[in-house]
């Protein structure tokens, strides 16, 4: 123990250097944590989802068996600030670019301002999906796709076009 104390007394500059490096490291960590904490109120994060719309046709007083009526793409703001969504829906990737799906025979409102913890869903009926995807390769990947006013794209793979068409025929 006496040798350690003697060594520390004779090498004062070395220990000062080590303590300076430790101090700089702790200061850097504190600055990084404070920057991260300062950015939290401005965090933007969107979660995407897809769901199946199931309904039953009622005719003649009898309830028919359930049938797939379509699919819904949804976006939920799980961040801490409002996000202006310019598109929410489905897309396929072709030639390195995402091709968005739009209904042909109806107005399509796929824009929304999502406040924190709000969500918006956009529904696509069976006939629209079949019309849009029936001429595509069944192995084409299908995504829930959303984009915001700042140009950021959000994607979530939900399967393939073939799987979607098979699910439309289910039930």
């Amino acid at each position: 123990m006496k040798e350690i104390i003697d060594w520390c007394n004779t090498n004062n500059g070395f220990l000062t250097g080590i303590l300076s490096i430790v101090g700089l490291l702790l200061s850097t960590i504190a600055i990084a944590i404070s920057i991260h904490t300062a950015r939290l109120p401005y965090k933007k994060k969107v979660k995407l989802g897809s769901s199946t719309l199931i309904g039953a046709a009622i005719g003649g007083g009898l309830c028919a068996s359930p049938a797939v009526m379509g699919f819904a793409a949804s976006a939920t703001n799980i961040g801490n600030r409002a996000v202006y969504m310019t598109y929410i829906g489905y897309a396929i990737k072709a030639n390195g670019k995402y091709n968005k799906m739009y209904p042909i025979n109806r107005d399509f409102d796929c824009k929304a301002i999502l406040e924190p913890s709000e969500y918006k869903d956009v529904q696509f009926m069976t006939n629209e999906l079949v019309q849009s995807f029936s001429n595509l390769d069944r192995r084409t990947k299908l995504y829930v796709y959303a984009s915001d006013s700042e140009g950021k794209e959000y994607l979530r793979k939900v399967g393939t076009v073939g799987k979607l068409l098979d699910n439309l025929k289910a039930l």
Side-chain angles (χ1 to χ4, degrees), residues 6 11 33 47 76 81 99 103 123 134 138 147 150 154 169:
D6 289 339
N11 295 309
I33 289 172
K47 185 174 183 178
T76 305
R81 68 178 176 117
N99 297 324
Q123 298 178 353
S134 61
R138 291 181 60 84
S147 59
E150 296 172 6
Y154 305 91
K169 296 174 188 173

Side-chain angles (χ1 to χ4, degrees), residues 23-39:
L24 285 173
L25 180 67
L26 291 175
S27 298
T28 304
I29 291 171
I31 290 170
I33 289 172
S34 66
I35 289 172
H36 177 72
T37 304
R39 289 185 178 173

Side-chain angles (χ1 to χ4, degrees), residues 23-131:
L24 285 173
L25 180 67
L26 291 175
S27 298
T28 304
I29 291 171
I31 290 170
I33 289 172
S34 66
I35 289 172
H36 177 72
T37 304
R39 289 185 178 173
L40 281 177
Y42 306 104
K43 183 176 89 169
K44 177 176 72 168
K45 192 169 183 183
V46 175
K47 185 174 183 178
L48 300 176
S50 179
S51 58
T52 305
L53 303 173
I54 297 178
I58 300 174
L62 299 174
C63 182
S65 63
V68 176
M69 304 299 285
F71 284 88
S74 64
T76 305
N77 183 357
I78 58 174
N80 295 327
R81 68 178 176 117
V83 179
Y84 178 68
M85 304 304 295
T86 57
Y87 179 85
I88 301 169
Y90 290 100
I92 58 167
K93 188 172 185 178
N95 301 326
K97 191 175 180 185
Y98 292 98
N99 297 324
K100 303 174 214 169
M101 182 193 156
Y102 292 97
I104 298 170
N105 299 328
R106 68 175 169 103
D107 291 335
F108 184 60
D109 182 23
C110 63
K111 296 180 180 183
I113 297 176
L114 298 177
E115 296 294 330
S117 74
E118 283 187 339
Y119 82 99
K120 163 100 173 155
D121 66 340
V122 179
Q123 298 178 353
F124 295 89
M125 296 299 124
T126 303
N127 59 348
E128 297 168 342
L129 295 167
V130 170
Q131 192 175 29

